[in-house]
Amino acid sequence: VTPLLSPLNMSDATNDNNVSAGRPDARLLQHMSSLADGMQRFDTEIRSVLDAVYPDLEDREEAEELENAADNSKPAEGVTPPVSSKRPSRADKWAAASKRTHMAAFIEYIANPKTKKQVIFQDKLSFALGLCNVMLTSFLVAYPRLFVHWFAFKAVVLLTSRWLTYRIKGAHYYLLEFCYVAIGLGVLSTMLFPQNATVHKLVFALMAGVLTPATIATRNSFVLHSIDKMTSLFQHLTPTIVAWLMRWHTRHVVPGFDQLSEQQQREFASAGFATLTLAPLAVWAAWAAAYYVWVFVVNDKKVSERGYATMFQLQTKNKDSAYAKFILGRPTKHQRYAMYMASHGAMCLLGMLLNNLTFHSCILHSIYVLSVLFVSVWNGANYYILVFAKRYHAGLEAMDDAPKASKSE
């Protein structure tokens, strides 16, 4: 800056005369021109760096220009807006608006990495955090009350992150599933009503009866480099461990347990068929009624038009599977929806019936939990050995080939 401004010294009498006469100094014009050239070169360098880091920056700028032009009801100069008969979905609008904030840009970066470096960095970070989570979780099992707080903390962080990323992808209807309801009830009960024996046993029945078998049913797996897969594993496996601690280490989970009367303490260890099966089944029925009305009646058209993903679509995606044929073989749409909900309830009921065994036997419950843990690890091993090695490197190679193809065009 100093070399550019030093010629502007007006102590020279000639300069004073030129300025006072209204004639600009030639040196001033020369340096102003040099300054403009320098700013132009700086702008060119910055754009070259941005093009290297964000190859799709020009597309984003054009999209923003089109959006601003549409808002002002004026055509954008030099840009021909695309002709589309499809009305933009709420997810598209949210994603477009979110680009204006740093937090939402970070969420978009996590949800949709666009370059090879971004994918590798995100996977390394997920692997490191996932492994630290496994070690810390293993350590905190020895401190049941702390483990419950750790469960609540992870639930808030991971499920909030999932909602934000799934909202961008149009998959946020997944978070209306019963698993998330059970997790929410578990967090609220262990944090707000830890000394209520009735709520304590109801949450145990939901976690052990629904979330534990769901780990196997949804084929959750230990895939440390995938945030999405580890979040899915958390939402089923961590509540499984919490339920085991709630039943067999109640004294250390419930604060002030030793101050309770003997009768109150015995209430935590006594439960029958109504408590372990009928009560959680009633909770499921209330959720099922609300879910059916909201997803399959009120928002059915919107889900179809905007391409939102639902668990019904995921479960019936493979048209050749026996389950999909069983569900999709019904003549009407609502009969298919009803049959899907009935099958969902039947699987939940089967898990709730197992509560009558696991609640009364520490050995059976421990074997059950360890078996579910082993299955999730086995699924992860299968994924890494049979799927990941080929798919991951093929995906990275495709990302390398994409810029070359665009340049050739």
Side-chain angles (χ1 to χ4, degrees), residues 133-350:
N133 169 58
V134 171
M135 293 187 292
L136 184 57
T137 299
S138 303
F139 172 77
L140 290 178
V141 169
Y143 304 91
R145 188 59 191 169
L146 285 178
F147 187 89
V148 170
H149 286 286
W150 174 238
F151 157 69
F153 171 77
K154 287 200 299 182
V156 173
V157 173
L158 292 178
L159 299 187
T160 300
S161 173
R162 167 159 286 192
W163 186 88
L164 293 172
T165 55
Y166 276 26
R167 188 68 179 84
I168 293 176
K169 298 177 180 179
H172 50 289
Y173 275 75
Y174 284 150
L175 275 75
L176 298 178
E177 294 299 318
F178 189 60
C179 294
Y180 297 97
V181 175
I183 292 173
L185 292 175
V187 172
L188 292 177
S189 67
T190 53
M191 294 295 104
L192 302 180
F193 313 104
Q195 293 185 339
N196 189 311
T198 302
V199 176
H200 183 95
K201 290 181 287 189
L202 175 62
V203 169
F204 167 86
L206 290 172
M207 288 183 172
V210 177
L211 299 182
T212 301
T215 308
I216 300 175
T218 57
R219 302 191 66 181
N220 291 155
S221 54
F222 262 106
V223 180
L224 292 173
H225 78 278
S226 172
I227 295 177
D228 188 60
K229 290 184 180 296
M230 289 303 293
T231 302
S232 297
L233 182 65
F234 152 78
Q235 76 183 59
H236 296 128
L237 189 57
T238 304
T240 295
I241 301 174
V242 171
W244 185 84
L245 292 173
M246 291 173 65
R247 177 61 188 97
W248 307 110
H249 294 273
T250 309
R251 183 180 301 276
H252 303 290
V253 171
V254 177
F257 184 82
D258 294 332
Q259 281 71 44
L260 299 176
S261 64
E262 292 185 3
Q263 181 179 357
Q264 290 176 321
Q265 292 181 6
R266 284 195 297 269
E267 289 180 0
F268 284 90
S270 61
F273 181 79
T275 302
L276 298 175
T277 301
L278 297 183
L281 187 61
V283 175
W284 177 88
W287 164 84
Y291 183 91
Y292 189 95
V293 171
W294 181 253
V295 177
F296 295 143
V297 177
V298 177
N299 292 300
D300 184 49
K301 183 178 180 181
K302 181 172 71 173
V303 169
S304 177
E305 290 179 348
R306 301 185 181 181
Y308 290 154
T310 64
M311 189 59 66
F312 173 82
Q313 297 172 0
L314 181 65
Q315 295 294 336
T316 58
K317 184 178 181 180
N318 184 9
K319 301 296 190 296
D320 295 329
S321 67
Y323 180 77
K325 291 179 179 179
F326 174 73
I327 299 298
L328 300 178
R330 308 300 154 182
T332 65
K333 178 173 61 176
H334 282 283
Q335 285 182 354
R336 292 192 287 269
Y337 291 156
M339 187 57 62
Y340 165 75
M341 295 302 296
S343 65
H344 187 282
M347 289 185 286
C348 289
L349 176 60
L350 180 61

Side-chain angles (χ1 to χ4, degrees), residues 47-65:
R47 286 189 172 273
S48 64
V49 173
L50 290 175
D51 289 339
V53 177
Y54 301 106
D56 61 337
L57 183 63
E58 292 183 0
D59 296 336
R60 292 189 181 184
E61 290 179 347
E62 183 176 348
E64 290 180 359
E65 188 175 355

Side-chain angles (χ1 to χ4, degrees), residues 223 225 229 378-389 391:
V223 180
H225 78 278
K229 290 184 180 296
W378 183 262
N379 289 339
N382 284 332
Y383 180 84
Y384 274 116
I385 294 174
L386 301 178
V387 179
F388 170 76
R391 182 183 297 177

Side-chain angles (χ1 to χ4, degrees), residues 24-88:
D25 189 354
R27 286 183 299 172
L28 176 61
L29 293 176
Q30 179 182 357
H31 287 290
M32 290 290 290
S33 177
S34 300
L35 181 60
D37 292 340
M39 294 178 66
Q40 183 64 34
R41 290 194 301 272
F42 177 76
D43 180 72
T44 303
E45 292 294 333
I46 287 296
R47 286 189 172 273
S48 64
V49 173
L50 290 175
D51 289 339
V53 177
Y54 301 106
D56 61 337
L57 183 63
E58 292 183 0
D59 296 336
R60 292 189 181 184
E61 290 179 347
E62 183 176 348
E64 290 180 359
E65 188 175 355
L66 286 171
E67 183 181 356
N68 293 334
D71 292 340
N72 297 328
S73 299
K74 295 179 181 180
E77 183 177 355
V79 178
T80 303
V83 179
S84 175
S85 60
K86 182 179 179 181
R87 187 167 62 94

